[in-house]
């Protein structure tokens, strides 16, 4: 799915700003047709933002169900004759959208975009009312899953099976944009390198009528390096300058559609990084060179705005990654804003791109998150309908992110149950689907503690072993000697069982900033640093370990619970991005190479 871009034939109008807003605790709006009139009440909400923390009210923070967003927008008169599209970059977790009185689009899945051709629903020059009802409800059939509990106090509570706050709302930009009536509908590129020659295989999908396709590839200085005609083809680039970690060199693929006249009917322009990715035994190769992941599992999370995309936080987070000497991160536990991937493309930061499939694990759900005891995979819990949603989530992730050079590995789930025959039945077709859709990138999933090679039944379906391990924290807290021995033993078992690269996608310890001790006491800043150093000692003993992603980059909000003090404190930075002692340890390791 193409990101909206301004070109000579296209215009984009962001609808970000303050929208009218209403909580709908009694679920009346859909019945009463709230889209037909201006929303009642005086509340306004910023877009993009999670709505939960912007109002000083528990009814907003803990709301379960529908909320309503509404705005009035004037469609530019000069858009007459154009195709007009309304696009939501994200609505968490599901939405129905009306343009005026007409339902235009609905979508499920809180972290991927959706759009509708609204040409027939708007009048250039006139104002139009756009209304969206957004639900934060998670069920057994959503990704991520959850369920709603009726409480004895009479309220409704959202039970989640994951360790981050269930922020909701319009988290990313809403756009109105134009294309000509005949338009570039999609572009897919696959790049290769052979000696000093780069290749860009491309495929252009068009909509709206018979047109001829022409493509041209320009370098970063604006010079043309290759051109071709036809909806599919391959471009060769002499003396290619590859995209590589630390150097986000991008070419620009301009796609033009031609009709009768001289001027192009439509033009779209796509940044392209030429690079290869491949797994070879235990090595992870980018441009045929071994790559070692240094970085974090992150979250889209900040005070007040919750999960909304924010350019200031984005640039600052990337600056902190650079300060540390990190070269990569994982979009734990959902697809991040497209702005983030584009930034990573331009700056040569490597990304493990994850779906929102977190919480498919009854052990954790009941043990850690207080859910009722249940079986993960069953008719009544995670079932064929959930699997279908999950399949769609994989498709939408790949459709959105397939052209980003920064993405080198798809993670199709975080810590699912992976030790039962049902898990294999569930994951076999999903892994196959990811491979079918994106055969040029390796695939993986983040394996949960306890799913050791003697119990796990799905790792053979994947290319990379991704381990989330909490030795020294959830296992043997305060005893790093025992933790080190256990980690080393488990790692030896993985190396013996699989000839695949191993990336530690999580390891870490909750740390309350400002707590210090002279002996290794959990929650102190010294303990976090000692624990990370212990993991690093063990990693360095194994060639198959090709990456270390600390959990987490920064402290983040979670549901309240006895395991969490004002959120998860495993950040190397606080939620405000102040470094804990461990940040300096990582900087020494990652910048100094020691
Ligand atoms: C995990 C999860 C992550 C949690 C983390 C923790 O294994 O993948 O979402 O936040 O552990 O801190 O417990």
């Amino acid at each position: 799915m193409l990101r909206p871009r301004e070109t000579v034939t296209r215009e984009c109008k962001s609808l970000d700003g303050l929208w009218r807003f209403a909580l709908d605790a009694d679920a009346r709006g859909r019945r009463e047709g709230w889209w037909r009139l201006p929303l009642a009440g005086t509340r306004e909400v910023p877009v993009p933002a999670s709505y939960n923390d912007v109002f000083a009210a528990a009814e907003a923070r803990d709301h379960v169900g529908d909320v309503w967003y509404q705005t009035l927008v004037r469609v530019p008169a000069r858009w007459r004759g154009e195709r007009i599209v309304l696009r939501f970059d994200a609505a968490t977790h599901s939405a129905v959208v009306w343009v005026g009185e007409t339902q235009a689009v609905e979508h499920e899945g809180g972290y991927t975009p959706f759009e509708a051709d609204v040409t027939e629903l708007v009048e250039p020059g006139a104002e139009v009312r756009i209304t969206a009802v957004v639900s934060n409800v998670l069920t057994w059939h959503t990704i991520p899953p959850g369920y709603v509990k009726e409480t004895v106090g009479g309220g409704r509570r959202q039970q989640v099976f994951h360790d981050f706050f269930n922020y909701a709302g319009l988290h990313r930009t809403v756009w109105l944009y134009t294309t000509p009536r005949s338009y570039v509908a999609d572009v897919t590129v696959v790049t290769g390198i052979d000696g000093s020659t780069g290749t860009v295989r491309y495929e252009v999908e068009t909509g709206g009528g018979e047109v001829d396709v022409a493509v041209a590839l320009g370098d970063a200085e604006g010079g043309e390096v290759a051109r071709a005609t036809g909806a599919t083809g391959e471009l060769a680039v002499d003396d290619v300058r590859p995209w590589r970690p630390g150097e986000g060199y991008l070419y620009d693929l301009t796609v033009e559609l031609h009709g009768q006249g001289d001027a192009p009917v439509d033009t779209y322009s796509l940044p392209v990084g030429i690079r290869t990715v491949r797994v070879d035994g235990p090595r992870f190769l980018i441009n045929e060179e071994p790559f070692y992941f240094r970085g974090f599992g992150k979250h889209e999370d900040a005070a007040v705005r919750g999960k909304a995309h924010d350019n200031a936080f984005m640039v600052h987070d990337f600056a902190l990654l650079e300060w540390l000497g990190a070269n990569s991160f994982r979009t734990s536990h959902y697809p991040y804003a497209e702005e983030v991937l584009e930034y990573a493309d331009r700056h040569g930061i490597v990304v493990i791109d994850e779906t929102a499939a977190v919480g498919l694990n009854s052990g954790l759900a009941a043990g850690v998150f207080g859910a009722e005891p249940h079986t993960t995979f069953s008719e009544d819990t995670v079932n064929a309908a959930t699997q279908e949603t999950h399949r769609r989530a994989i498709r939408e992730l790949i459709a959105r992110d397939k052209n980003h050079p920064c993405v080198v590995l798809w993670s199709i789930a975080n810590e699912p149950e992976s030790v039962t025959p049902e898990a294999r039945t569930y994951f076999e077709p999903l892994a196959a689907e990811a491979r079918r859709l994106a055969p040029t990138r390796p695939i993986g999933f983040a394996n949960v503690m306890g799913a050791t090679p003697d119990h796990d039944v799905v790792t053979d379906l994947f290319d990379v072993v991704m381990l989330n391990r909490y030795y020294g924290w959830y296992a043997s807290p305060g005893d790093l000697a025992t933790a080190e021995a256990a980690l080393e033993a488990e790692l030896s078992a993985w190396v013996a069982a699989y000839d695949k690269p191993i990336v530690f996608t999580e390891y870490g310890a909750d740390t309350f900033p400002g707590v210090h001790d002279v002996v290794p006491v959990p929650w102190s800043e010294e303990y976090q640093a000692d624990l990370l150093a212990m993991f690093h000692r063990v990693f360095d003993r194994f060639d198959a370990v090709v990456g270390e992603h600390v959990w987490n980059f920064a402290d983040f909000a979670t549901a309240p619970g006895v395991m969490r003090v004002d959120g998860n404190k495993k950040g190397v930075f606080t939620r405000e991005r102040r470094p804990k002692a461990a940040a300096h340890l990582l900087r020494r390791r990652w910048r100094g190479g020691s």
Side-chain angles (χ1 to χ4, degrees):
M1 184 183 203
L2 293 180
R3 187 154 162 69
R5 265 180 222 291
E6 298 231 321
T7 68
V8 280
T9 56
R10 293 171 173 234
E11 251 190 86
C12 300
K13 183 179 168 76
S14 153
L15 306 190
D16 293 355
L18 291 174
W19 290 42
R20 294 178 81 110
F21 183 75
L23 297 168
D24 186 7
D26 308 321
R28 285 165 38 209
R30 297 189 201 226
R31 261 184 289 125
E32 296 175 0
W34 284 6
W35 62 90
R36 296 206 179 91
L37 292 170
L39 284 182
T42 57
R43 267 204 170 125
E44 295 181 59
V45 72
V47 173
S50 301
Y51 59 77
N52 308 78
D53 288 347
V54 294
F55 306 108
E59 57 165 357
R61 182 171 167 90
D62 301 332
H63 176 77
V64 179
D66 288 345
V67 299
W68 291 77
Y69 284 77
Q70 195 174 67
T71 192
L72 266 185
V73 54
R74 184 171 298 282
V75 180
R78 64 177 181 278
W79 285 11
R80 195 171 301 285
E82 301 297 308
R83 174 174 167 268
I84 301 173
V85 182
L86 174 63
R87 186 200 216 244
F88 286 72
D89 283 359
T92 315
H93 293 284
S94 65
V96 182
V97 177
W98 290 265
V99 173
E101 303 235 340
T102 311
Q103 183 176 322
V105 62
E106 60 185 310
H107 183 257
E108 196 189 291
Y111 308 95
T112 42
F114 55 98
E115 62 181 27
D117 180 336
V118 296
T119 316
E120 302 304 322
L121 304 180
V122 300
E123 177 59 33
E127 275 191 331
V128 65
R129 187 172 58 236
I130 296 172
T131 310
V133 58
V134 180
S135 169
N136 65 353
V137 167
L138 297 173
T139 71
W140 286 111
H141 304 150
T142 57
I143 290 293
Y147 61 83
V148 174
K149 305 193 269 212
E150 305 294 333
T151 64
V152 273
R156 276 155 44 96
R157 289 266 158 185
Q158 175 69 56
Q159 174 72 57
V160 298
F161 311 142
H162 54 258
D163 187 33
F164 52 94
F165 191 81
N166 188 34
Y167 280 119
L170 298 182
H171 284 151
R172 300 174 191 161
T173 292
V174 183
W175 304 93
L176 265 185
Y177 72 91
T178 67
T179 75
R181 296 294 174 126
S182 289
Y183 59 95
V184 179
D186 199 11
V187 184
T188 308
V189 295
V190 173
T191 64
I193 300 176
D194 187 7
S196 61
T197 306
T199 54
V200 179
R201 232 170 48 225
Y202 71 89
E203 196 176 325
V204 176
E205 230 179 80
T206 59
E210 277 294 292
V211 278
D212 294 326
V213 178
V215 301
L217 194 71
D219 60 22
E221 292 72 44
E224 184 177 300
V225 295
R227 65 165 41 241
T229 53
T232 61
E234 183 167 303
L235 302 167
V237 183
D238 294 336
D239 294 323
V240 64
R241 190 152 159 205
W243 186 97
R244 54 164 64 102
E247 195 193 340
Y249 189 86
L250 295 174
Y251 292 85
D252 188 67
L253 184 74
T254 302
V255 179
E256 286 185 354
L257 304 187
H258 290 277
Q260 307 300 335
D262 284 346
V265 176
D266 190 19
T267 302
Y268 188 83
S269 152
L270 181 78
V272 173
I274 301 179
R275 57 112 186 84
T276 62
V277 182
R278 183 168 80 85
V279 161
D280 175 37
R283 299 187 310 159
F284 194 97
L285 303 174
I286 300 182
N287 301 336
E288 293 299 303
E289 284 172 21
F291 179 69
Y292 192 95
F293 296 78
R294 298 187 306 260
F296 298 91
K298 285 185 94 257
H299 264 299
E300 292 188 311
D301 176 89
V304 185
R305 53 182 64 68
K307 289 213 165 310
H309 173 69
D310 180 304
N311 280 329
F313 266 98
M314 176 184 76
V315 172
H316 189 52
D317 282 3
F318 275 99
L320 292 175
L321 290 175
E322 192 189 339
W323 177 81
L324 286 162
N327 60 12
S328 56
F329 63 92
R330 175 171 60 123
T331 71
S332 41
H333 297 306
Y334 36 82
Y336 287 4
E338 287 165 271
E339 288 88 338
V340 175
L341 296 181
E342 289 180 339
Y343 195 95
D345 284 343
R346 289 194 299 274
H347 295 267
I349 299 293
V350 169
V351 174
I352 301 176
D353 206 5
E354 188 158 280
T355 70
V358 52
L360 306 168
N361 192 322
S362 61
L364 291 179
V368 183
F369 303 116
E372 302 295 316
H374 62 269
T375 308
T376 305
F377 302 103
S378 79
E379 281 295 304
D380 302 327
T381 55
V382 175
N383 61 20
T386 325
Q387 190 190 35
E388 190 47 42
T389 316
H390 195 159
R391 184 178 286 120
R392 233 177 19 243
I394 293 170
R395 277 193 204 129
E396 289 189 16
L397 175 76
I398 293 175
R400 193 193 72 161
D401 293 346
K402 62 190 172 186
N403 294 325
H404 286 287
C406 66
V407 175
V408 300
L409 172 58
W410 304 112
S411 168
I412 71 167
N414 182 68
E415 299 193 346
E417 179 176 306
S418 55
V419 296
T420 52
E422 293 78 12
R424 181 145 189 117
T425 310
Y426 181 90
F427 276 105
E428 205 160 8
L430 296 182
E433 181 74 352
R435 280 196 196 289
R436 186 182 70 76
L437 292 169
T440 56
R441 284 185 183 89
I443 61 172
F445 74 99
N447 165 301
V448 67
M449 183 126 184
T452 46
D454 46 331
H455 292 111
D456 161 271
V457 297
V458 299
T459 291
D460 63 301
L461 303 170
F462 297 89
D463 303 304
V464 178
V465 178
M466 295 162 59
L467 300 178
N468 293 356
R469 290 298 179 270
Y470 286 95
Y471 292 108
W473 188 253
Y474 295 122
S476 17
D479 180 358
L480 291 179
T482 300
E484 181 164 352
L487 173 63
E488 172 140 22
E490 186 185 345
L491 205 35
S492 303
W494 281 107
V495 169
Y498 291 99
D499 186 31
K500 295 180 193 286
I502 300 172
V503 177
F504 276 78
T505 35
E506 287 184 25
Y507 60 108
D510 278 280
T511 305
F512 208 87
V515 172
H516 293 285
D517 215 314
V518 292
V519 290
V521 173
W523 291 94
S524 68
E525 294 199 27
E526 289 76 12
Y527 187 75
Q528 184 183 34
D530 285 357
L531 180 143
L532 298 184
M534 179 279 282
F535 271 83
H536 298 155
R537 271 199 304 279
V538 178
F539 297 164
D540 293 347
R541 292 177 202 140
F542 292 86
D543 289 339
V545 173
V546 300
E548 50 195 57
H549 277 180
V550 176
W551 190 257
N552 187 285
F553 174 75
D555 295 346
F556 57 92
T558 65
V562 291
M563 304 268 286
R564 300 287 174 251
V565 185
D566 187 33
N568 187 307
K569 293 280 184 268
K570 293 192 187 69
V572 160
F573 295 96
T574 65
R575 204 180 189 206
E576 299 72 35
R577 281 38 177 182
R578 305 286 295 270
K580 300 179 191 172
H584 295 279
L585 170 116
L586 288 171
R587 187 167 195 261
R588 281 194 297 277
R589 175 169 168 88
W590 291 346
R591 288 208 148 226
S594 62

